[in-house]
């Protein structure tokens, strides 16, 4: 796995965790921000052929 792929997958895992935490604490604004970030990361992964199925909870 190259550095780009590893870094992207790590960012996705971190963002998923942050999104879960925001939802659990009821921070709707932060949840929206994290969801937007996650959507962008998924788009970036798709554009570069990075398989992300294994990282999503």
């Amino acid at each position: 796995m190259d550095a780009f792929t590893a870094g992207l997958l790590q960012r996705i895992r971190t963002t998923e965790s942050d999104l879960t935490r925001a939802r659990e604490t009821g921070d709707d604004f932060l949840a929206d921000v994290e969801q937007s970030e996650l959507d962008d990361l998924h788009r970036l992964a798709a554009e570069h052929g990075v398989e992300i199925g294994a990282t999503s909870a």
Side-chain angles (χ1 to χ4, degrees):
M1 178 181 308
D2 62 30
F4 173 80
T5 301
L8 182 57
L9 292 175
Q10 180 58 48
R11 286 181 62 196
I12 289 171
R13 284 189 296 272
T14 299
T15 303
E16 287 173 338
S17 176
D18 293 345
L19 175 58
T20 298
R21 191 174 312 109
R23 287 177 175 162
E24 288 173 349
T25 61
D27 189 336
D28 293 336
F29 176 76
L30 183 57
D32 287 345
V33 170
E34 296 297 345
Q35 184 62 61
S36 293
E37 176 71 10
L38 189 57
D39 292 345
D40 287 344
L41 291 170
H42 281 215
R43 179 191 48 76
L44 184 63
E47 288 175 359
H48 291 276
V50 175
E51 179 63 44
I52 58 170
T55 67
S56 297

